[in-house]
Each structure stands twice: as structure tokens, then as C-alpha cells.
Amino acid sequence: MIKLRDLEYLTAIDQHKHFGKAAQACFVSQPTLSGQLMKLEQQLGLQLVERHRRNVMLTPAGEQLVKEARKVLQAAGEFESCAKALLDPFAGDLHLGLIPTLAPYLLPHIMADLNTTLPNINFFLHENQTKVLLQQLDEGKLDVLILPYLAEMEKFESYQLFDEPLMLATPKNHPLATKKSLSLADLHGEKILTLADGHCLKDQAMGYCFAAGAKEDNSFQATSLETLRHMVASGMGITLLPALAAQGNLASDTLHYGKFQAPVPIRGISLVIRPNYSRMQCVRAIVASVRKSLSDIID
Amino acid sequence: MIKLRDLEYLTAIDQHKHFGKAAQACFVSQPTLSGQLMKLEQQLGLQLVERHRRNVMLTPAGEQLVKEARKVLQAAGEFESCAKALLDPFAGDLHLGLIPTLAPYLLPHIMADLNTTLPNINFFLHENQTKVLLQQLDEGKLDVLILPYLAEMEKFESYQLFDEPLMLATPKNHPLATKKSLSLADLHGEKILTLADGHCLKDQAMGYCFAAGAKEDNSFQATSLETLRHMVASGMGITLLPALAAQGNLASDTLHYGKFQAPVPIRGISLVIRPNYSRMQCVRAIVASVRKSLSDIID
DNA sequence: TTAATTGATAGGCTCTAACTATGATTAAGT
DNA sequence: ACTTAATCATAGTTAGAGCCTATCAATTAA
């Protein structure tokens, strides 16, 4: 196969029309360049330079091939400069996956800091259910997930970001809305509105509820937290809402968010990546940034 | 420096997403490809592939560099195919230099054959005086000259093509026009019309004339053989004309071309190239073709 | 638990690109 | 004409790179 070095020798000869100077420009000895060029000619089966004592001159074939050689070398140069540009670990595109019960409520709190600490990263945001996200992460379509950690993610690498408490969302006039000290046990016998199957929040919330002796209200399954919130506000039932989803809406006229006493139901939000993911420095920066952003919000 | 082989390994990994298969496609062992790729990553200072047991996957940097690598490899491929196309020694452009006193009279006799025997050669014809032609040949602007051989061309390589007799051009009514047996000695005392300085024909012709005791007519210096011919036809004098220039005009009403007895004045037309000129096969074909074309014309 | 797959590692071989030293040929200067 | 300088080719040597086989380690599938 052709070697890039040989092409450099050829173009150097074209530039200097002199073996010694061309060799010097390539930082090799004259015999080296001479020999390699001869070998190249032999390999191609055609003469590239006419050798005279006074004068070195390219053959027509040589002239033409020098042009081709320059193109090759230019492409190689672009490859290298491209690699150099990629060397900055804090630059480039990054595809971030989040679940629907987290994205709209978390992102406003973290994106500003992320864009400040990683100004050269272009974040692409993907909202999907856990199962889909894990699949896409595995396929490489996504780089980083932020979602509640589950046991099934053990094959990936994960970083705990923060614990998000679950709060009790009730209509304002609901008996539990006025209770001073709220605990999970108070849910005993209640019917809980839930999200549609597939949302991990449903499984987690219902896990707590079942343990407390509450039951799922099967008459509805909301497809989003906003729907769920409006159902609660309409007096159709109660539900557990993640704290971040509740936060901005505490001042609602019709809704009440109740904070549980210990043991507080939580979901542990983690950042998940593939093991051996190449941009660990970037990941560490994201983890630090998100933790810092959240430390001000979650008490 | 980047090596093309490494780029092939990289693109192979991208294609197959599998070290073993990629190695097979590159006709190397798996450890070889593995090692070279690692070396490439080390060299660039960035990770190109994520290695998993089940799955090999390119990093974003890898994806981007694969694109660059493909460009480089494509350019290299073009270089090689270009070289292959140039391999035919009987193809390409060829710049042929001739002197003005030869070109218009010789070319019609030789170009047809040349184009037949070397159909893939594009002949570019350059008409200039000897000194200029030699300079351009030396500079590589011309590939081949066809002109009268002179001693100053000994530093070049030359092939004798044919001897062109010089004929005596006189008006029809000139005393020498009717002489049965014409020899150089008959020029004694004549005044000879000549071409302008710089035309080698002038020097050669006048060489013969001086030796015979003739003199140059300094009142005119023609810039072309056609002018010279018309001057003779107008009765302004006599001159020596190369046989090829005379040939097509024997039937002129006003001109007479006299053939000399031995020793016939001649100019020896040679093909001249740079020593070490790269396309010797082509040159040999040209020499053979021209000799064959001329053998029918010069007796 | 066993067998198969897959990528990394270790050790050794070979080829080659590089060097230095020298030769051959030509151009230029004395 | 002889000498010197310039220039490219040749010879012989060395260091390193690329490749191979054999093997290991980790995972998956049966």
C-alpha cells in the first residue's frame, strides 16, 4: 500500500526540485528520500522524476501524481486537525436522555449551570420511558441518562445525583391536606391515581402505596404528570408526585402538596452511562454541576 | 504521522463493529488490528471505540474521524487509480517542438502515421527556433524536438531521423535553372537570399554557400521560408531550400528547384530528448514511425 | 458448569525505513 | 586541463514497527 510519507517525499521533490533540499525539508537524509522515491516509482511501475545532475524534473506522470498526492495529504491533514479539535473533552454533542416525569421539572434547574460549566457542549435532550432510554443508551444513540436508579441498570455505570422526595398531592379540601404530620401509613385504604404503565414513577409510587395498604385506582391511567395533577385538582383522587413536579405549583388554589414525615418516600435520581464510556471527564463535570444545582433546591 | 493502514483498520471496525471480522476484512490477525487501533488512539490522544464484550461501538470522536478517514482513503485510492491509468507508456500528452523551417513541411508527412501508431498520445506542436526549443526541452516544457542536429545538442540524447537535401531555388529564367548537372561549386560568386538571424537553416545554408564562394545578400532577411520563396519567385535572387519545403511546389510557374549532384548539401534531421527522459518506449515508437513515414518521401 | 465467543496481552520474527559513509558524474572555477 | 564543489546513487548497518501465534480474561449461551 501507498505510504503517506512517500507522498510527502514526492511533493517535497516537486517543491524543491532537489533531492538534498527536499530531504532536508522532510527531516530525513538524502539517501533515504532517494531510496524511498525509487521504491515508490518501482511500486507504481512508472517513473516520476527525471534525474539530472543539474536539474531534477518531474515526469508528466509525476506532475499528475503530485496533484493527487497533495489531495491525499490535505485529507490526512484534515483528519489530524479534526482529531485535535476533538481532543477537548469538554466539547462536542452530547445526547441526554430523561424520563417524562423528570425532564420538564428538572431541566429548568440544571440546564443553565450545565451550559455555563460546559459551554462547548451541545446538549440534545431526549424524553422517553426508562426501558427505551436504556435501550438507546446501549445502542449508543444516547450518551447519558438521568433517571431514577433501578436494579436492572446494574450492568451500566451510574452516579447518584440526588434523592427526590415524593409528595402527596391532594385536593385542597381533602382530609389529608390538613393533617399536620403526614406519614405513608396515612395512605392506608386510599385509592391512588397513577400514571400509565411503563412510567417508572407508577411502579415506584405504587410500591410505597401498596406497602402502606393503599390501592391503585384502576378507573384512570394518566399519560402525563400534568394530566395527573389536573385529575387530582378536579377532586378525582390523590396521588404521589415527585417533589420537583410539585415545587412550582405549591400556590395552587385547588391543589395541596403534603410532605411526608420520615420515612420519606423518595426516588433516587442517578446519572447512567455505558461502562467504558469515552467522555468520563465530561460525565464527571455533569455530575458535579447537577449535584450543585440541586443542592440549592432539595432540602 | 498517521498511517493509511490505521485508517483502514478504523473504517473496518466501523463497518463490522467486531474486531475479529474487521481484522479478517483487512487480512490481518485480530491482535494486530486491536494493537494498531489502540496505538492510533494513543497517538491521537482520544478514545475512538468503546469496547464491550458483546458490542463494539464507536465514540462520537470515532464516528467523526471515521468520516475523515474515509475521505483520506478515497483520495489515496484516486492516487493509485491515477497511477494505474498513467501506466500505459503509450498514452498521455506529449509536447513536440519543431523549427519553423521544418514544421509546416514535415508535419503533414508524419502526423497521420504518428496518430495511427500512438492513438492515445495527444501531440502538442510547438514551433520555435532551435535555441528556444533547446531551452524549453531542458526546462521540461517540451518532451521531444525534431530539428537539424547541431554540435551544441550533444548534451542531449538524439536519434537521427533522416537527411534532408537542400535544393537550389531559382527563378525559372535563371541560368542555373537550366543547368543539367548542378553542384555547389556553381554557386560561386552568387548572392544568396537568406532567412533572418536565429534560423538555423540560415547558418547551415550559408555554411555551404560560403564554402562554395557565394555570398549573403544583405539587402533582405526573410522571416519565413514562404517569404523567401516568394522573393525568389519574384526574381530577387536565389536561395537554398530544404527538400521538404520544395517538394509540394515543384510545379510552380515561376520557380525552379535544382537538385545538387554529390556532394549534396543536406541537413540531418534528428529527434532530440533529454537524457533519462522517462518515456523511452514512446520515443522509440516515434522515431520508428517518422523514419518509416519519411522513407517513402526522401529518396 | 461447560463450551464458545471476543477482545487484550505476551513474546518473537521479519521487513523496512532510517542512518552514515562512500562512489560516480557533472558543473564551475582556477 | 585540472581541481573543487555539488548532487544523486549505492552499500552496509541498525532500530523499530507491524505482524504473527499462542494464550489469557471476561462474558454469554447451552
Side-chain angles (χ1 to χ4, degrees):
Chain A
M1 167 167 349
I2 296 293
K3 292 209 193 70
L4 288 179
R5 201 85 237 267
D6 294 339
L7 302 187
E8 289 188 325
Y9 293 154
L10 178 59
T11 57
I13 285 285
D14 177 51
Q15 262 186 44
H16 298 93
K17 312 278 191 229
H18 187 288
F19 278 73
K21 285 172 190 164
Q24 204 169 353
C26 295
F27 303 104
V28 295
S29 69
Q30 170 265 316
T32 295
L33 188 141
S34 245
Q36 291 307 111
L37 197 64
M38 278 191 290
K39 221 180 272 188
L40 178 64
E41 287 180 317
Q42 199 169 346
Q43 193 175 347
L44 297 177
L46 42 83
Q47 193 176 341
L48 302 178
V49 299
E50 285 179 34
R51 293 146 170 91
H52 305 87
R53 300 292 151 190
R54 192 107 209 90
N55 228 11
V56 174
M57 149 179 321
L58 274 80
T59 65
E63 292 281 6
Q64 203 157 337
L65 286 179
V66 162
K67 289 179 199 163
E68 296 296 321
R70 279 192 215 287
K71 288 184 200 167
V72 179
L73 292 174
Q74 190 186 344
E78 280 170 22
F79 178 95
E80 293 198 324
S81 66
C82 178
K84 203 168 280 182
L86 287 169
L87 252 185
D88 182 359
F90 301 110
D93 296 345
L94 192 143
H95 293 263
L96 175 59
L98 303 102
I99 54 169
T101 57
L102 185 59
Y105 315 108
L106 176 63
L107 290 176
H109 296 111
I110 64 173
M111 286 315 294
D113 285 347
L114 282 176
N115 283 324
T116 308
T117 56
L118 297 168
N120 297 319
I121 293 279
N122 301 316
F123 287 98
F124 290 79
L125 304 175
H126 301 257
E127 200 175 301
N128 249 314
Q129 296 184 359
T130 301
K131 194 177 167 186
V132 179
L133 292 177
L134 289 174
Q135 168 97 25
Q136 293 181 333
L137 180 67
D138 195 54
E139 289 169 353
K141 291 177 182 165
L142 298 179
D143 298 302
V144 172
L145 306 185
I146 294 182
L147 37 59
Y149 183 81
L150 301 174
E152 61 192 275
M153 302 169 189
E154 64 184 356
K155 60 155 68 167
F156 294 100
E157 197 169 310
S158 62
Y159 297 84
Q160 164 79 5
L161 293 178
F162 61 94
D163 281 334
E164 185 179 25
L166 298 183
M167 304 184 79
L168 183 65
T170 61
K172 265 233 164 105
N173 56 359
H174 192 278
L176 287 175
T178 53
K179 200 158 188 297
K180 277 185 178 172
S181 176
L182 187 66
S183 79
L184 280 169
D186 296 325
L187 298 180
H188 183 81
E190 296 284 341
K191 274 206 165 182
I192 310 292
L193 293 171
T194 69
L195 282 172
D197 289 339
H199 288 278
C200 65
L201 177 59
K202 172 188 176 179
D203 302 326
Q204 291 189 295
M206 290 318 295
Y208 285 113
C209 294
F210 285 153
K215 289 187 179 169
E216 179 181 355
D217 184 342
N218 288 313
S219 54
F220 282 105
Q221 283 201 331
T223 53
S224 79
L225 280 191
E226 293 311 308
T227 309
L228 196 56
R229 195 201 312 272
H230 284 111
M231 285 167 67
V232 173
S234 318
M236 305 188 71
I238 65 175
T239 193
L240 292 186
L241 275 190
L244 287 174
Q247 216 165 38
N249 295 273
L250 278 175
S252 164
D253 284 339
T254 51
L255 264 179
H256 178 265
Y257 299 108
K259 204 185 264 180
F260 285 102
Q261 300 293 334
V264 181
I266 53 147
R267 54 177 189 176
I269 305 296
S270 290
L271 184 148
V272 178
I273 56 173
R274 289 183 296 275
N276 301 324
Y277 178 55
S278 56
R279 297 152 88 188
M280 281 311 298
Q281 297 184 70
C282 208
V283 166
R284 275 187 282 273
I286 292 173
V287 168
S289 171
V290 173
R291 280 180 182 159
K292 181 176 168 298
S293 302
L294 266 294
S295 66
D296 305 329
I297 299 165
I298 301 284
D299 51 343
Chain B
M1 163 165 351
I2 294 292
K3 295 212 189 70
L4 288 180
R5 203 80 234 268
D6 295 338
L7 302 187
E8 289 188 326
Y9 293 155
L10 179 58
T11 57
I13 283 286
D14 178 50
Q15 263 186 44
H16 297 94
K17 311 276 193 233
H18 187 287
F19 279 73
K21 285 172 190 161
Q24 204 170 354
C26 294
F27 304 103
V28 296
S29 68
Q30 170 265 316
T32 296
L33 188 140
S34 243
Q36 291 307 111
L37 198 63
M38 279 192 290
K39 221 180 274 185
L40 178 65
E41 287 181 319
Q42 200 170 346
Q43 193 175 349
L44 297 178
L46 41 81
Q47 193 177 339
L48 301 178
V49 300
E50 286 180 35
R51 293 147 170 88
H52 304 87
R53 302 291 151 192
R54 190 107 212 90
N55 227 13
V56 174
M57 152 177 323
L58 274 80
T59 66
E63 292 281 5
Q64 204 159 338
L65 286 178
V66 161
K67 289 179 198 163
E68 296 298 321
R70 280 193 215 287
K71 288 185 200 166
V72 179
L73 291 174
Q74 189 185 346
E78 278 170 22
F79 178 95
E80 293 199 322
S81 67
C82 179
K84 203 168 280 181
L86 288 169
L87 253 185
D88 182 358
F90 300 110
D93 295 345
L94 193 144
H95 293 263
L96 175 59
L98 303 102
I99 53 170
T101 57
L102 184 59
Y105 317 107
L106 175 63
L107 289 176
H109 298 294
I110 65 173
M111 286 314 294
D113 284 349
L114 281 177
N115 282 325
T116 308
T117 57
L118 297 168
N120 297 320
I121 294 279
N122 301 316
F123 287 97
F124 289 79
L125 304 174
H126 301 257
E127 201 174 299
N128 249 314
Q129 294 184 0
T130 301
K131 194 178 168 185
V132 179
L133 291 178
L134 289 174
Q135 168 99 23
Q136 293 181 332
L137 179 68
D138 195 53
E139 289 170 353
K141 291 178 183 164
L142 299 180
D143 298 302
V144 172
L145 307 184
I146 294 182
L147 37 57
Y149 183 81
L150 301 174
E152 60 191 275
M153 302 170 191
E154 64 184 357
K155 61 154 70 167
F156 295 100
E157 197 169 310
S158 62
Y159 297 84
Q160 164 79 5
L161 292 177
F162 59 93
D163 281 334
E164 184 180 27
L166 298 182
M167 305 185 77
L168 184 64
T170 61
K172 266 240 163 98
N173 56 359
H174 192 278
L176 287 176
T178 52
K179 200 156 186 298
K180 275 189 180 170
S181 177
L182 186 68
S183 80
L184 280 170
D186 296 324
L187 298 180
H188 183 82
E190 296 283 345
K191 275 206 166 180
I192 308 291
L193 293 171
T194 69
L195 282 172
D197 288 339
H199 288 278
C200 65
L201 177 58
K202 173 188 175 180
D203 301 327
Q204 292 190 295
M206 290 317 295
Y208 284 114
C209 294
F210 285 153
K215 286 184 181 170
E216 179 182 356
D217 185 340
N218 287 316
S219 53
F220 282 107
Q221 282 202 331
T223 53
S224 80
L225 279 191
E226 292 311 308
T227 310
L228 196 56
R229 195 203 310 272
H230 284 111
M231 287 168 66
V232 173
S234 319
M236 305 187 70
I238 65 174
T239 193
L240 292 186
L241 273 190
L244 287 173
Q247 214 166 38
N249 295 276
L250 278 173
S252 164
D253 283 342
T254 52
L255 265 178
H256 179 264
Y257 299 109
K259 203 185 262 180
F260 286 102
Q261 300 292 334
V264 180
I266 53 143
R267 56 177 188 174
I269 306 298
S270 288
L271 182 148
V272 177
I273 55 175
R274 289 183 296 276
N276 301 323
Y277 178 56
S278 57
R279 296 151 88 188
M280 282 312 298
Q281 297 184 71
C282 208
V283 167
R284 276 188 281 274
I286 293 173
V287 169
S289 172
V290 173
R291 281 179 181 159
K292 181 176 167 299
S293 302
L294 268 293
S295 68
D296 307 330
I297 299 165
I298 303 283
D299 50 341

